[in-house]
Amino acid sequence: MKFGKEYASQTVPEWREAYMNYNYLKTLVKDILVFRQRLNGSPKNQVTRKPLPLKRKVSLFRAFSGLTNSSPGKHKEDEVIVVNKMQQTDEENAVECPSYQTIFLRPSEEGGDIELVFFRRLDDELNKVVRFYKTKVEEVVEQAGELDKQMDALIAFRIKVNNRMEAIRESEVSEDHQEMRSEDDNEYRAASLEVLNRIKINATTETPRSTVRNVFNSLNSDLNYNKTELKKARGKLKHAFLELYEKLRFLKNYAFWNQLAFSKIMKKYDKITSRNASDAYLQMVEESYLSQSDEVAKLIERVESAFIKHFCNGDRDRGMNTLRAKSKREKHRVTFFVGCFFGCSLALIVAIITSLHARDLLKGAGQTRYMNTIFPLYSLFGFLVLHMVMYAGNVYFWTRYRVNYSFIFGFKQGKELGFKQILLLSSGLSVIILGGVLSNLEMELDPETQSYKTVTELLPLGLVTLVLLVAVCPFNILYRANRFFFLVCLWHCICAPLYMVTLPDFFLADQLTSQVQLLRNVGFYACYYGWGDFKKRDAVTCNESNIYYIISIVIAVVPYWIRVLQCLRRFFEGSDSTQAMNGLKYLSTIVAVVSRAVYTQTRGTPLRVIAASTSGIATVFSTYWDIVMDWGLLCKNSENPWLRDNLILPNRSVYFIAMVVNVILRLAWMQTVLDFHEAPFLHRNALIAIVASLEIIRRGLWNFFRLENEHLNNVGKFRAVKTVPLPFSYEDRDKDV
């Protein structure tokens, strides 16, 4: 692999703009090469080329510099550059940072202007890298100092919680407590119980209980000395240590790869120009804060020591395995089984189609019966598999274009599913479902199984039960961490607005708004097997029941109502003032859904006008929000007209195509539910399933651009690690604790 590709693969996606722009500098070096090739190929230029008297220039520049160390055997006439170091203040970050300037001594030579541009841009990149690195190092030093105080409070808290004998034992242990202080601070002050008089527990409204307490009472921030609070505080601090350690690792790699990039680009320059400028410049890089600072290395050692001691009972192996999560290994058997399952799925689809046509199973009264009962039962799985396939495609393209979806969603490091794992689950599920459909058809036709009519009709319910059991299975199989992550997010959606709303929560709720037909099919399951006569394949009770009709409307409204509650929670927390408008968007959709449902039941021109107008308003509102707010597009004064300044996809036309497709699919959904569709060659339920599938596809497209926009926002703020709430806060931070 060439260095440029390896360098790009090793960058932290959120810090991409802060890395040395190796590709651009490489193009400048290539420009120098092209000019020299043209120059050497022109006899006229070769004749008129004259050496320049540089003695005076060199002496002047060296007198001005005073900081350049040249090789002992190198003559002034042979020098190409002179490097200078000046002190500047970064006003944005209020950081004192040196600024490096390179003076090119051969600007009057032919092609010297190109080399001059190269060194100017090289200096800009070095100053940018050093400034960013110094800012981030000061941030982690500050965070380490805060964690130091938090650990003092935690140890004191633990002493208070335990009984007297345990307190004595913990006090003896705490005498060996080595916090993340500088090496000059050899005097350690043991955690004192007096610290507890100056701290309070940070109350966070993250749970239903704390939310209710916050609404009806004031949250009690007084210290409550019990093991439950101690466990919570310990968990928060452990998480904070893990995030700090990850940031330190990022900084260590950042310094290493940038130094290597400067070395590579200077060697390319020397090779092309036959000069010897790399020694002087790389010496400047070596003497810069990027190379000389040892704060990160020291903090890594101290964090490791503190984490192993206080969170792993001194077990270094366990501590290091926790801190340094192992990267995922690509397993060939996953690819193999994905191919097998997809092949089996295609074979089963062919077998089902052949069986239907060869035996004329869907003709006459049997077709209507089958499409009104069995088809909705099995189409539920089709919607689920399609959504999983779309999500696998999202993960593939997120990975390809380095969108850090794992960090954005908050997956546990190394536990996120790749697109192959998602395809494995979806293809395996499709094999089971298609096998169930074929088995249902065969059992229905086999005379020997006619007496087991109940078993035949219960097969779809058995498949649903199997999927639910796998989803909640407590054993460490079939990606347990991801299954539980999904269930937790689903529970947060159900309990909205009692839980603090995070991105995975509202992202999942948005997926549910595109799975209304799936949720309706779940309701049909309950009705068909609860009220209907499933033994006779009779769903008249469900299809003609007013109660079921009302329930189906409620089911369709629930996902949008969840989003309304989530928007209200975020708005009242003050995290995003635009959430009030977002909530109105979902309310408009609820009105449209209800008006359409009433129209399809009662008909009439006035109701049709109301349904059309409300649906049109909701569609326009939602389309605008998708493109402008969620995708961040349609920026008139952008560097990329009508898009946004930063784009991940290299082809800008893809964004315009996505916007048009989004509008078309939304309009198709609106027209279908308004009965602007008559397809005599298709059953109504089949057409509804097709339109529902189009909505799932639209959501899949939305997912990619929504997360791309979120990723770019993180990049703009250089957020590469999560911000972890700390358990304690000091009432007087100005005093030394």
Side-chain angles (χ1 to χ4, degrees), residues 47 169 343 381 470 589 606:
V47 172
R169 180 172 59 83
F381 299 103
V470 171
T589 306

Side-chain angles (χ1 to χ4, degrees), residues 13-28:
E14 288 74 17
W15 293 355
R16 182 179 55 191
E17 297 298 324
Y19 280 80
M20 189 256 266
N21 195 337
Y22 180 81
N23 288 333
Y24 180 73
L25 292 175
K26 189 176 177 181
T27 59
L28 293 179

Side-chain angles (χ1 to χ4, degrees), residues 479-575:
Y479 311 113
R480 180 179 63 178
N482 293 273
R483 288 189 286 108
F484 281 16
F485 182 86
F486 170 77
L487 292 175
V488 169
C489 292
L490 182 61
W491 177 250
H492 288 180
C493 292
I494 295 173
C495 296
L498 298 180
Y499 283 96
M500 180 180 292
V501 181
T502 59
L503 187 142
D505 298 337
F506 70 74
F507 196 86
L508 177 59
D510 278 323
Q511 310 307 304
L512 294 178
T513 61
S514 294
Q515 285 286 9
V516 170
Q517 193 57 42
L518 180 146
L519 297 176
R520 280 175 169 164
N521 286 0
V522 172
F524 182 77
Y525 263 90
C527 180
Y528 185 68
Y529 289 104
W531 301 338
D533 191 355
F534 68 90
K535 296 180 182 179
K536 297 181 180 180
R537 193 172 287 181
D538 184 6
V540 175
T541 306
C542 298
N543 295 332
E544 297 183 359
S545 172
N546 290 330
I547 297 178
Y548 176 73
Y549 166 70
I550 295 174
I551 291 175
S552 66
I553 296 178
V554 173
I555 290 174
V557 167
V558 165
Y560 301 102
W561 181 245
I562 289 174
R563 287 296 288 122
V564 170
L565 296 178
Q566 288 178 337
C567 291
L568 290 177
R569 171 75 187 242
R570 296 180 68 190
F571 174 74
F572 285 115
E573 285 179 346
S575 58

